[in-house]
Amino acid sequence: MLSAKNIFKSYPTPAEPLEVLRDVSLELDAGERLAIVGPSGAGKSTLLQILGTLDAPTSGTVQINQTDPFQLSETELAHFRNRQIGFIFQDHHLLPQLTVLENVLIPALAIGRPSEETIQHATDLLERVGLASRSTHLPGELSGGEKERVAVARALLNRPTLILADEPTGNLDSHTAQAITDLLLKLQAEENAILVTVTHSKDLAAAMGQQKTLLDGRLS
Ligand code: ADP
Ligand code: ADP
């Protein structure tokens, strides 16, 4: 379960603080999907960073599976984030010097040497995203859509409670974008994960579940 209650976020500026989120609340159960739409600068990435435990709110609380991540120590939080949350970004953030399989294994490499079972799981995920034959290739040898598929597989490696997608199809042509959207929805449903997508694309938002709009820092 993901819950955010009365989230406010301000950034300090030389003048008065910039209030980016104003009393944002949401609650999602396992398997639920939420798409947050809003114009550039509305605070979508800020909200996603908070839900992803990468940045603390100025006030308000976040709970993921009954844990308040911002009460954890830094080490505990890094571990918690790695286990509970899968991130998918617009520009996929693959490491160019690692193979496709190694890129999928990054969340496991972060906590030590991956077990045979984890390597098998990564291989299965590559199969499910249609890239089994590319596991030893480098990201530079893949198309944009294929790279995004790798990013989807990587986000799912640790069987996260929560998948956070920030403009996941932003750099793709519409045909490829549709394929990635379908894939993401299929895997999310199979894994019964919560999926939160932020985008300024109304088309993408419409495909990604229940829709809410972020405008002037308020979610409605
Ligand atoms: P970003 O870098 O935040 O993705 P873009 O570079 O895609 O923003 O934005 C390009 C232009 O489109 C900018 O002028 C931006 O303000 C505008 N824009 C972005 N999203 C929307 C939207 N949902 N509605 C109207 N204008 C938008
Ligand atoms: P969106 O993702 O909807 O485009 P953002 O969350 O990136 O919106 O940004 C919302 C507002 O907060 C923008 O005015 C942006 O300039 C500001 N902002 C974002 N991050 C920071 C930061 N680290 N420090 C100061 N201002 C920020």
Side-chain angles (χ1 to χ4, degrees), residues 115-136:
S115 64
E116 277 307 315
E117 192 191 344
T118 305
I119 294 170
Q120 185 57 51
H121 182 46
T123 305
D124 291 345
L125 281 166
L126 280 175
E127 173 107 44
R128 285 159 75 191
V129 301
L131 289 177
S133 64
R134 312 302 292 273
S135 62
T136 60

Side-chain angles (χ1 to χ4, degrees), residues 209-220:
Q210 176 201 355
Q211 274 187 74
K212 294 198 178 204
T213 302
L214 192 61
L215 203 62
D216 292 333
R218 293 179 196 278
L219 192 64
S220 59

